[in-house]
């Protein structure tokens, strides 16, 4: 517990920016960097030579497995609402030391990182437990019972697309990685505020229509659930090949922005711990101080610039690859190509998230054992587990390195496979499909090398 | 490309990768154990900035802290604590069994004074 007490206050000082850290990752050493980069190149050329000549994932078949009983939804919703309640209550009433408060740990570890992994393994888990969705549905049910008719709904504006989700994800990343005053109390109020906005928007646009389009977290976790072999359709759980859900990702305004936000925010997490940012950051901060902001505001503005810069750099790099691809074959316009290949970034986004947050989940995820017994950090011991400690020895530093490099390489291969499959279905001639893939290969190798570099350039 | 040729290419790539990994990992870093590091804390701040203490896993980590303020010195992760009185000196000497980056700080002030780096 004493360990936890201290780290809470040192957030801005601790080497690793995800806070809540007792044991920080070591930068991957040069030999592993070199080996990882070589593997990426070897794998890429092998993939070009050996991948299938007919599209396979584009029309993959989903096989029904079993019907989910009707009582599961209300139960999951109830659990989601209960967890939301515990988080908000602990945040408001508990200690302001983040590491001793259930709210901070749950939001930054189990929710933000854990749900990404659960989504990839089991499908769209968050949608099942989404507390505001559950409340919205309960209200609708109650209104119907009371004989109230639901008001006429507005259409969700097409131009809005995924932009609310882009704003949510960048905002959350800024809160986690940059904001200096993220006490459990602030987090609790933000949770309440977010839920209220969601409920109002559901009232305006219709519950499911809003949640699936405008609720940033539902949209974000749904992105990763597309990698999963499990999908729910009309109450029936279906099985499908892994990756097969990605090609059908709807492309609306902001879809590419969302992928860039997901990759860019994780990029900033690594970048902000590296040497380049360490030399840029003081200049940016003094610039904002000269413009009249206080120290904290200057830190937050500089961080915002860095974060948005990373998101923009990711987007720019993708567009460059697409411009290259445009020179090949049947002359598709670059906006069309950008939309057609954007889904290939989904596994890259997952690889980045896993590589950067794996140790946070493995170490700080354990804190949930003590925090459920003492959610407020006031010394209570509800389930008798309050004295449980984080075992930092569960995985060695080398083990973490291998997970990180494996995540990036597997993400890279998955991206290549998706791009290859899409190219085969898009181009009439196999030759054009292959040539277009040289450009996607550059994009993929670029992202994977950037990922490796971010992990190797961590400042201690 | 025939199925067989495909398998051949994949097999060759796997062999290259495995051989490369074995060669690369055996050429690992050659880090020495750090000698005795002495950290001086003045006005509740480490003189010369946050010090880095690097040791290899399984070796002894040794350092002393002399402080002009009374506080508790805490090594995160290892969860080692020692009280230091105003103007006093405490020393740490332990086997670094766990690799990773660990923060050493003045507990009550949450002020980082050193970074312990244990290489695998």
């Amino acid at each position: 517990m004493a360990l936890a007490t201290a780290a809470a206050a040192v957030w801005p000082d601790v080497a690793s920016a995800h806070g809540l850290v007792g044991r920080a990752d070591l930068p991957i050493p040069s030999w592993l960097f070199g080996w990882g980069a070589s593997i990426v190149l070897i794998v890429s050329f092998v993939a070009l030579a050996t991948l299938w000549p007919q599209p396979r994932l584009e029309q993959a078949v989903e096989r029904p497995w079993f019907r989910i009983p009707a009582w599961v939804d209300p139960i999951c919703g109830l659990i989601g609402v209960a967890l939301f309640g515990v988080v908000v209550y602990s945040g408001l009433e508990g200690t302001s030391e983040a590491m001793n408060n259930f709210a901070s740990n749950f939001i930054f570890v189990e929710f933000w990182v854990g749900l990404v992994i659960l989504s990839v393994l089991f499908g769209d888990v968050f949608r099942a437990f989404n507390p505001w969705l559950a409340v919205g549905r309960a209200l609708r049910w109650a209104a119907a019972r009371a004989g109230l008719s639901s008001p006429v709904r507005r259409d969700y504006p097409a131009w809005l697309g995924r932009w609310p989700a882009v704003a949510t994800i960048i905002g959350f990343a800024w809160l986690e990685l940059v904001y200096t005053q993220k006490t459990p109390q602030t987090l609790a109020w933000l949770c309440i505020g977010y839920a209220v906005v969601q409920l109002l928007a559901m009232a305006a646009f219709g519950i499911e229509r809003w949640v699936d389009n405008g609720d940033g977290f539902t949209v974000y976790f749904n992105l990763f659930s597309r990698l999963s072999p499990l999908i729910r359709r009309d109450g029936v759980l279906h099985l499908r090949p892994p990756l097969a859900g990605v090609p059908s990702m709807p492309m609306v305004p902001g879809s590419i922005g969302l992928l860039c936000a997901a990759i860019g925010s994780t990029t900033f997490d690594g970048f902000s711990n590296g040497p380049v940012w360490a030399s840029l950051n003081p200049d940016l901060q003094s610039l904002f101080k000269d413009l009249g902001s206080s120290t904290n505001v200057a830190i937050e503005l500089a961080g915002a610039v860095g974060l948005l810069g990373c998101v923009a750099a990711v987007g720019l790099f993708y567009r460059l690859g697409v411009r290259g691809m445009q020179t090949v074959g049947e002359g598709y316009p670059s906006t069309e190509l950008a939309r057609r290949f954007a889904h290939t970034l989904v596994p890259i986004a997952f690889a980045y998230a896993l590589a950067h947050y794996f140790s946070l989940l493995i170490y700080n995820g354990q804190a949930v054992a003590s925090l459920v017994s003492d959610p407020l950090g006031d010394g209570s011991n509800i389930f008798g587990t309050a004295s449980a400690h984080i075992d930092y020895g569960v995985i060695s530093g080398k083990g973490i390195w291998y997970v990180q490099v494996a995540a990036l390489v597997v993400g890279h291969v998955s991206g290549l496979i998706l791009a290859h499959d899409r190219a085969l279905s898009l181009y009439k001639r196999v030759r054009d499909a292959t040539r277009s893939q040289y450009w996607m290969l550059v994009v993929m190798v670029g992202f994977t090398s950037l990922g490796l570099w971010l992990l190797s350039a961590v400042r201690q | 490309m025939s199925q067989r040729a495909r398998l051949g290419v994949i097999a060759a790539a796997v062999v290259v990768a495995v051989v490369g990994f074995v060669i690369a990992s055996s050429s690992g870093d050659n880090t020495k154990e750090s000698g005795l590091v002495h950290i001086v804390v003045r006005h509740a701040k480490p003189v010369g900035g946050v010090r880095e203490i690097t040791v290899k896993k399984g070796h002894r980590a040794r350092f002393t802290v002399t402080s002009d303020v009374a506080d508790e010195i805490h090594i995160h992760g290892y969860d080692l604590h020692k009280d230091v009185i105003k103007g006093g000196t405490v020393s740490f000497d332990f086997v670094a069994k766990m690799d990773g980056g660990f923060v050493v700080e003045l507990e009550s002030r949450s002020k980082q004074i050193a970074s312990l780096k244990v290489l695998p």
Side-chain angles (χ1 to χ4, degrees), chain A residues 6 10 23-24 26 35 50 397, chain B residues 6 17 21 99 101 105 107 110 118:
Chain A
V10 292
R23 173 181 169 180
L26 292 171
W35 182 80
T50 62
Chain B
R6 246 180 224 155
F21 180 78
D99 50 24
E105 65 175 15
E107 181 80 346
S110 297
V118 183

Side-chain angles (χ1 to χ4, degrees), chain A residues 75-112:
Chain A
I75 299 272
C76 287
L78 212 59
I79 294 173
V81 172
L83 276 170
F84 181 83
V86 174
V87 165
V88 169
Y89 177 71
S90 326
L92 291 178
E93 296 297 319
T95 170
S96 57
E97 289 160 354
M99 282 197 69
N100 286 344
N101 195 309
F102 179 80
S104 302
N105 189 278
F106 190 84
I107 291 171
F108 288 130
V109 183
E110 281 80 26
F111 173 74
W112 183 240

Side-chain angles (χ1 to χ4, degrees), chain A residues 331-398:
Chain A
Y332 291 102
S334 63
T335 43
E336 159 96 5
L337 287 174
R339 287 195 316 116
R340 294 284 196 132
F341 283 90
H343 68 293
T344 63
L345 299 179
V346 175
I348 306 269
F350 176 60
Y352 268 53
L354 187 61
H356 280 271
Y357 292 112
F358 179 71
S359 60
L360 182 77
L361 184 68
I362 288 289
Y363 299 143
N364 297 86
Q366 295 177 48
V368 87
S370 59
L371 290 171
V372 287
S373 275
D374 186 11
L376 306 182
D378 59 0
S380 55
N381 195 353
I382 303 167
F383 303 106
T385 55
S387 60
H389 273 277
I390 296 179
D391 176 5
Y392 285 105
V394 284
I395 182 167
S396 73
K398 273 193 177 170

Side-chain angles (χ1 to χ4, degrees), chain A residues 254-295:
Chain A
S255 285
I256 301 174
L258 179 66
L259 284 157
C260 295
I263 298 177
S265 55
T266 331
T267 300
F268 178 70
D269 179 36
F271 183 70
S272 60
N273 285 313
V276 180
W277 182 245
S279 62
L280 278 177
N281 194 15
D283 294 339
L284 268 175
Q285 286 185 19
S286 53
L287 173 75
F288 286 118
K289 268 186 217 159
D290 292 345
L291 292 172
S293 22
S294 68
T295 307

Side-chain angles (χ1 to χ4, degrees), chain A residues 2-3 6-7 9-10 13 22-24 26 29 31 35 39 42 46 49-51 53 389 392-393 396-398 401-402 460, chain B residues 1 6 9-10 13 16-17 20-21 24-25 29 52 74 76-77 79 81 98-102 105 107 110 112 117-120:
Chain A
L3 154 99
V10 292
D13 280 345
R23 173 181 169 180
L26 292 171
W31 70 263
W35 182 80
I39 283 299
I42 295 171
V46 170
T50 62
L51 282 180
H389 273 277
Y392 285 105
S396 73
K398 273 193 177 170
W401 287 344
Y402 296 154
Q460 284 299 306
Chain B
M1 194 180 275
R6 246 180 224 155
V9 171
I10 292 172
V16 170
F21 180 78
S25 62
D29 313 65
E52 191 167 286
H74 177 209
H76 284 250
D79 227 2
H81 310 257
M98 192 162 57
D99 50 24
F102 305 94
E105 65 175 15
E107 181 80 346
S110 297
Q112 186 178 358
K117 198 168 156 188
V118 183
L119 301 172

Side-chain angles (χ1 to χ4, degrees), chain B residues 41-99:
Chain B
V41 174
R42 200 173 295 149
H43 310 306
K45 279 182 185 161
V47 174
V50 173
R51 291 286 293 275
E52 191 167 286
I53 307 157
T54 309
V55 288
K56 213 163 161 64
K57 190 173 162 181
H59 288 79
R60 279 164 72 196
R62 294 189 298 153
F63 62 94
T64 63
V65 182
T66 302
S67 172
D68 67 347
V69 289
D71 208 315
E72 184 189 50
I73 312 293
H74 177 209
I75 308 173
H76 284 250
Y78 280 85
D79 227 2
L80 296 169
H81 310 257
K82 273 188 186 175
D83 287 327
V84 61
I85 56 165
K86 188 177 173 185
T89 299
V90 288
S91 45
F92 288 90
D93 186 346
F94 59 96
V95 178
K97 287 183 179 155
M98 192 162 57
D99 50 24

